[in-house]
PDB file of all heavy atoms in Angstrom:
ATOM      1  N   MET D 104     -38.004 -17.135   5.905  1.00  0.00           N
ATOM      2  CA  MET D 104     -38.239 -18.417   6.539  1.00  0.00           C
ATOM      3  C   MET D 104     -38.709 -19.483   5.554  1.00  0.00           C
ATOM      4  O   MET D 104     -38.262 -20.621   5.607  1.00  0.00           O
ATOM      5  CB  MET D 104     -39.241 -18.284   7.677  1.00  0.00           C
ATOM      6  CG  MET D 104     -39.279 -19.539   8.551  1.00  0.00           C
ATOM      7  SD  MET D 104     -39.976 -19.220  10.170  1.00  0.00           S
ATOM      8  CE  MET D 104     -41.714 -19.125   9.795  1.00  0.00           C
ATOM      9  N   THR D 105     -39.618 -19.072   4.660  1.00  0.00           N
ATOM     10  CA  THR D 105     -40.206 -20.063   3.749  1.00  0.00           C
ATOM     11  C   THR D 105     -40.407 -19.441   2.375  1.00  0.00           C
ATOM     12  O   THR D 105     -39.924 -18.347   2.094  1.00  0.00           O
ATOM     13  CB  THR D 105     -41.576 -20.544   4.292  1.00  0.00           C
ATOM     14  OG1 THR D 105     -42.346 -19.383   4.618  1.00  0.00           O
ATOM     15  CG2 THR D 105     -41.389 -21.389   5.546  1.00  0.00           C
ATOM     16  N   PHE D 106     -41.118 -20.172   1.545  1.00  0.00           N
ATOM     17  CA  PHE D 106     -41.381 -19.721   0.184  1.00  0.00           C
ATOM     18  C   PHE D 106     -42.609 -18.820   0.140  1.00  0.00           C
ATOM     19  O   PHE D 106     -42.738 -17.968  -0.717  1.00  0.00           O
ATOM     20  CB  PHE D 106     -41.583 -20.963  -0.694  1.00  0.00           C
ATOM     21  CG  PHE D 106     -41.588 -20.688  -2.158  1.00  0.00           C
ATOM     22  CD1 PHE D 106     -40.404 -20.351  -2.817  1.00  0.00           C
ATOM     23  CD2 PHE D 106     -42.755 -20.787  -2.903  1.00  0.00           C
ATOM     24  CE1 PHE D 106     -40.392 -20.110  -4.186  1.00  0.00           C
ATOM     25  CE2 PHE D 106     -42.754 -20.536  -4.272  1.00  0.00           C
ATOM     26  CZ  PHE D 106     -41.571 -20.197  -4.909  1.00  0.00           C
ATOM     27  N   SER D 107     -43.511 -19.033   1.093  1.00  0.00           N
ATOM     28  CA  SER D 107     -44.751 -18.258   1.113  1.00  0.00           C
ATOM     29  C   SER D 107     -45.205 -18.054   2.559  1.00  0.00           C
ATOM     30  O   SER D 107     -44.744 -18.767   3.470  1.00  0.00           O
ATOM     31  CB  SER D 107     -45.859 -19.015   0.359  1.00  0.00           C
ATOM     32  OG  SER D 107     -46.187 -20.179   1.090  1.00  0.00           O
ATOM     33  N   LEU D 108     -46.107 -17.126   2.745  1.00  0.00           N
ATOM     34  CA  LEU D 108     -46.649 -16.884   4.084  1.00  0.00           C
ATOM     35  C   LEU D 108     -47.439 -18.102   4.576  1.00  0.00           C
ATOM     36  O   LEU D 108     -47.372 -18.457   5.764  1.00  0.00           O
ATOM     37  CB  LEU D 108     -47.547 -15.639   4.051  1.00  0.00           C
ATOM     38  CG  LEU D 108     -48.299 -15.305   5.339  1.00  0.00           C
ATOM     39  CD1 LEU D 108     -47.346 -15.108   6.509  1.00  0.00           C
ATOM     40  CD2 LEU D 108     -49.156 -14.046   5.139  1.00  0.00           C
ATOM     41  N   ALA D 109     -48.126 -18.745   3.663  1.00  0.00           N
ATOM     42  CA  ALA D 109     -48.907 -19.921   4.055  1.00  0.00           C
ATOM     43  C   ALA D 109     -47.988 -20.992   4.653  1.00  0.00           C
ATOM     44  O   ALA D 109     -48.274 -21.567   5.710  1.00  0.00           O
ATOM     45  CB  ALA D 109     -49.667 -20.482   2.841  1.00  0.00           C
ATOM     46  N   GLU D 110     -46.890 -21.238   3.984  1.00  0.00           N
ATOM     47  CA  GLU D 110     -45.905 -22.186   4.510  1.00  0.00           C
ATOM     48  C   GLU D 110     -45.400 -21.741   5.887  1.00  0.00           C
ATOM     49  O   GLU D 110     -45.207 -22.560   6.787  1.00  0.00           O
ATOM     50  CB  GLU D 110     -44.687 -22.254   3.577  1.00  0.00           C
ATOM     51  CG  GLU D 110     -44.826 -23.199   2.402  1.00  0.00           C
ATOM     52  CD  GLU D 110     -43.518 -23.305   1.619  1.00  0.00           C
ATOM     53  OE1 GLU D 110     -42.501 -22.716   2.046  1.00  0.00           O
ATOM     54  OE2 GLU D 110     -43.518 -23.986   0.576  1.00  0.00           O
ATOM     55  N   ALA D 111     -45.184 -20.459   6.029  1.00  0.00           N
ATOM     56  CA  ALA D 111     -44.634 -19.942   7.289  1.00  0.00           C
ATOM     57  C   ALA D 111     -45.589 -20.212   8.439  1.00  0.00           C
ATOM     58  O   ALA D 111     -45.183 -20.636   9.529  1.00  0.00           O
ATOM     59  CB  ALA D 111     -44.363 -18.441   7.163  1.00  0.00           C
ATOM     60  N   LYS D 112     -46.867 -19.961   8.192  1.00  0.00           N
ATOM     61  CA  LYS D 112     -47.840 -20.177   9.257  1.00  0.00           C
ATOM     62  C   LYS D 112     -47.966 -21.665   9.588  1.00  0.00           C
ATOM     63  O   LYS D 112     -48.108 -22.058  10.744  1.00  0.00           O
ATOM     64  CB  LYS D 112     -49.188 -19.566   8.870  1.00  0.00           C
ATOM     65  CG  LYS D 112     -49.101 -18.036   8.861  1.00  0.00           C
ATOM     66  CD  LYS D 112     -50.453 -17.363   8.864  1.00  0.00           C
ATOM     67  CE  LYS D 112     -51.037 -17.277   7.490  1.00  0.00           C
ATOM     68  NZ  LYS D 112     -52.202 -16.366   7.434  1.00  0.00           N
ATOM     69  N   GLN D 113     -47.871 -22.465   8.541  1.00  0.00           N
ATOM     70  CA  GLN D 113     -47.929 -23.914   8.746  1.00  0.00           C
ATOM     71  C   GLN D 113     -46.713 -24.368   9.574  1.00  0.00           C
ATOM     72  O   GLN D 113     -46.826 -25.167  10.504  1.00  0.00           O
ATOM     73  CB  GLN D 113     -47.945 -24.600   7.372  1.00  0.00           C
ATOM     74  CG  GLN D 113     -48.468 -26.024   7.426  1.00  0.00           C
ATOM     75  CD  GLN D 113     -48.442 -26.680   6.039  1.00  0.00           C
ATOM     76  OE1 GLN D 113     -48.470 -25.990   5.015  1.00  0.00           O
ATOM     77  NE2 GLN D 113     -48.388 -27.999   6.034  1.00  0.00           N
ATOM     78  N   LEU D 114     -45.560 -23.816   9.250  1.00  0.00           N
ATOM     79  CA  LEU D 114     -44.346 -24.194   9.979  1.00  0.00           C
ATOM     80  C   LEU D 114     -44.459 -23.785  11.447  1.00  0.00           C
ATOM     81  O   LEU D 114     -44.013 -24.506  12.344  1.00  0.00           O
ATOM     82  CB  LEU D 114     -43.111 -23.556   9.329  1.00  0.00           C
ATOM     83  CG  LEU D 114     -41.764 -24.083   9.802  1.00  0.00           C
ATOM     84  CD1 LEU D 114     -41.608 -25.580   9.489  1.00  0.00           C
ATOM     85  CD2 LEU D 114     -40.618 -23.303   9.162  1.00  0.00           C
TER      86      LEU D 114
END
Side-chain angles (χ1 to χ4, degrees):
Chain D
M104 193 160 76
T105 50
F106 192 72
S107 67
L108 175 58
E110 276 186 5
K112 291 196 277 193
Q113 200 181 336
L114 192 62

